[in-house]
Amino acid sequence: MKKKLLWDAALLLLCLCLAGGFLLWDALGRAEGAVAVVSVDGVEVARYPLDVPCEVVLHGTDGENVLVIEDGCAFIREADCPDKVCVRTGKIRWEGETIVCLPHRLMVRIAGGEGGVDG
């Protein structure tokens, strides 16, 4: 019985160490993005720098979303889609994070700053 308990404890400790390692790797591997890349129906339509505060009305295929950039983050403040998942996504700032509005076929993705920036 003691041997089984010892193996269970060792397995639990190994799982905790692996989970902690993955969390640390994820936290240290993050890079802050430099631009918000806006795509509609899979086509890039604009790039906005994250260091310049602005508010932009984005026109998707079937409606509008209001993109706000402030404090190095991007988020959707308003949308006229029925589910509002894009609004509830919240602020994004790390490279690779996205906000998607499926009804409007709109995507906002954080990129590292390569390429030009639209205003």
Side-chain angles (χ1 to χ4, degrees):
M1 186 67 170
K2 281 186 178 185
K3 191 173 187 178
K4 183 180 182 212
L5 220 57
L6 184 62
W7 280 109
D8 287 347
L11 183 62
L12 180 62
L13 183 62
L14 177 66
C15 289
L16 288 174
C17 287
L18 284 174
F22 282 125
L23 287 174
L24 185 63
W25 177 68
D26 183 51
L28 294 177
R30 286 186 171 182
E32 283 202 38
V35 294
V37 180
V38 179
S39 302
V40 176
D41 208 12
V43 178
E44 184 177 318
V45 295
R47 289 176 169 250
Y48 300 98
L50 293 178
D51 58 351
V52 178
C54 70
E55 186 168 315
V56 183
V57 177
L58 304 173
H59 301 280
T61 57
D62 292 327
E64 295 179 344
N65 300 61
V66 177
L67 173 68
V68 177
I69 297 177
E70 63 184 22
D71 300 327
C73 297
F75 63 97
I76 301 292
R77 176 172 289 158
E78 299 173 31
D80 58 7
C81 56
D83 58 8
K84 307 273 192 276
V85 170
C86 53
V87 176
R88 290 194 312 266
T89 298
K91 295 181 177 184
I92 59 174
R93 78 175 327 145
W94 303 106
E95 194 172 336
E97 288 185 311
T98 60
I99 298 174
V100 177
C101 182
L102 287 178
H104 297 165
R105 302 179 76 127
L106 177 111
M107 181 172 78
V108 179
R109 177 179 53 87
I110 301 299
E114 69 287 343
V117 176
D118 293 344

